[in-house]
Each structure stands twice: as C-alpha cells, then as structure tokens.
Amino acid sequence: MTKVFISYSHDSQPHRDFIRGLADQLRTDGLDCLIDQYVNGFPPEGWQRWMENQIEAADFVLLVCTETYLRRYRGQEINGGKGVTFEGVVISQTLYDHYYRNTKFVPVLPEGGDFGHVPLPLKPYSIYTLPQQYDSLYRYLTAQPEYLAPAVGSRRIMPPAQGASVMPTSPPTPAPVNTLGNLTAERRARLQEKLRLLYQQYDLETRVEEKMRTKAIIDQTEADLRGL
C-alpha cells in the first residue's frame, strides 16, 4: 500500500484542520497517509526519530508550503515548533544525496497559497494547489495519468503525386549515345523500376482508397510499358 507522509507547520487551528482533512481524505481513498495529529500523546521513539522514520518510510512526502513553513524549513525562525526545521534538514539532505532526482517530495499549496513559499529545491517540480487540484495530486500518487499515449502504429507509406515519376534507387548510368534505341531502353528501365516500387507500395497499403489510387497508377504505368 502506498505510504504518504505530510510535512507541515502548525500555523493555526484552521490550518491544522485542513491538514487533517487532507490526510483523512487520502486514507479514505486508499492511501496510508500519516500525520502527527494521529499520534496519541507522543511516539515512543520521540518526535525527532519518528519524523525521520516517517520521511524515510514514505513513498511520497507532501510539503504543505506556507510562509511559516518556509521560514522554519530554512531554519530562520527561533520561536515556535522545530519539527519543520528538522524535517527540512532531512528532506534537503535526501534530495542532495539523490542528486536532486526527485520522485518523492511533492510541494502542495493551500488555497490562496503563494508559489514563493515553496522551498527553492522543490520549485522545479509540479506544485499542486488544494483542494482544487486534489484529483491531479491523487493521480500522481496512485500512478493514474489522466491521458495515456496511444501505441505506436505502423509507418504510413505515402504514394507519389499523380503523374510524378518515381526516382530510381541509384543514379542512372549516362547513355553513351543519345540514340532513339538508347532513349527507349532508358525509359523502359525507369518505368519498370517505377512499377516495382508501386507494387511494393500497393502490398503494404491498408487503406482502400489509397490502394485504388495506387492501382490506377500501376495500370497506367503498365500501359506505358506496353506502348514502348
């Protein structure tokens, strides 16, 4: 089961309620989401070790970015909770260790949030605003893309333009003497090569209209050959 951990700052009681509502919804939708509010009292290993373990064990960590969160993530606030400051160190170190190839840490903005509150290392990645983009976030967390690329089909064989001659596969040998017999032989060779390519094209074509068009060109080419 996919594990999700939410890293956030305790900005206010409404913000805490928003975080708990998000976690509740993710759990309802089949994801094992954890937040500190689900812990009764305190974890036996202590909060610092608990946070580190949750970040390490999670498949995804959602960072709910606010002005307060950013200050604490950067270690710029000496008052208030220290949890985000510690989590910021763990997250930054993990990104650094993986050369900033990130598939785990997902920045999230609450409604009315500011892109400027997203920590700098996470700005290059997709940022989701909640609740408006909950479905898009859920698709990412559950590997369910909204659009699927179609299978690669067969390459189309494009017919030559009506009446256009088909270029031979190799440059023709210059005629030593521009006599009537040489010109007839040269034209016959060109028509035979054209006919060979047309039959090849006809065999590969699958569309009825294009096959009929190619067949008409073949018939005309054969008539030209017979007229020589």
Side-chain angles (χ1 to χ4, degrees), residues 92-225:
S92 295
Q93 185 64 50
T94 303
L95 287 169
Y96 179 81
D97 290 344
H98 289 84
Y99 297 92
Y100 289 89
R101 296 182 62 85
N102 175 42
T103 59
K104 181 170 188 168
F105 302 104
V106 184
V108 170
L109 291 175
E111 188 170 14
D114 190 331
F115 177 78
H117 297 155
V118 176
L120 183 62
L122 291 166
K123 284 186 175 181
Y125 308 105
S126 294
I127 300 168
Y128 299 90
T129 299
L130 300 180
Q132 298 96 316
Q133 294 181 301
Y134 175 82
D135 285 349
S136 297
L137 172 63
Y138 184 76
R139 283 184 179 278
Y140 176 70
L141 299 179
T142 57
Q144 299 184 81
E146 185 173 1
Y147 302 105
L148 297 176
V152 178
S154 301
R155 187 172 60 175
R156 295 173 55 195
I157 304 299
M158 304 299 293
Q162 182 68 35
S165 61
V166 178
M167 293 297 293
T169 56
S170 59
T173 302
V177 180
N178 191 17
T179 65
L180 180 60
N182 286 338
L183 289 174
T184 300
E186 182 181 337
R187 177 166 170 73
R188 183 184 299 276
R190 287 202 303 267
L191 288 173
Q192 288 173 339
E193 177 65 12
K194 176 180 178 180
L195 196 60
R196 183 186 69 81
L197 294 175
L198 285 169
Y199 273 118
Q200 183 181 64
Q201 177 180 311
Y202 182 85
D203 291 338
L204 293 173
E205 184 60 65
T206 58
R207 295 168 297 171
V208 175
E209 291 183 359
E210 292 300 332
K211 286 182 79 77
M212 292 176 61
R213 182 182 177 196
T214 304
K215 184 62 168 60
I217 301 174
I218 289 173
D219 292 342
Q220 181 60 52
T221 305
E222 288 178 338
D224 292 342
L225 269 173

Side-chain angles (χ1 to χ4, degrees), residues 40-91:
N40 184 24
F42 54 86
E45 66 271 35
W47 284 113
Q48 184 171 331
R49 183 65 56 82
W50 181 86
M51 288 184 289
E52 185 175 6
N53 290 341
Q54 297 309 313
I55 292 174
E56 182 178 347
D59 297 298
F60 298 100
V61 177
L62 306 186
L63 291 75
V64 184
C65 304
T66 63
E67 184 178 6
T68 300
Y69 184 91
L70 180 62
R71 287 199 309 270
R72 293 179 181 177
Y73 181 96
R74 291 175 170 174
Q76 295 174 343
E77 188 169 298
I78 60 175
N79 297 317
K82 301 176 182 177
V84 173
T85 300
F86 177 75
E87 290 172 4
V89 172
V90 175
I91 292 169

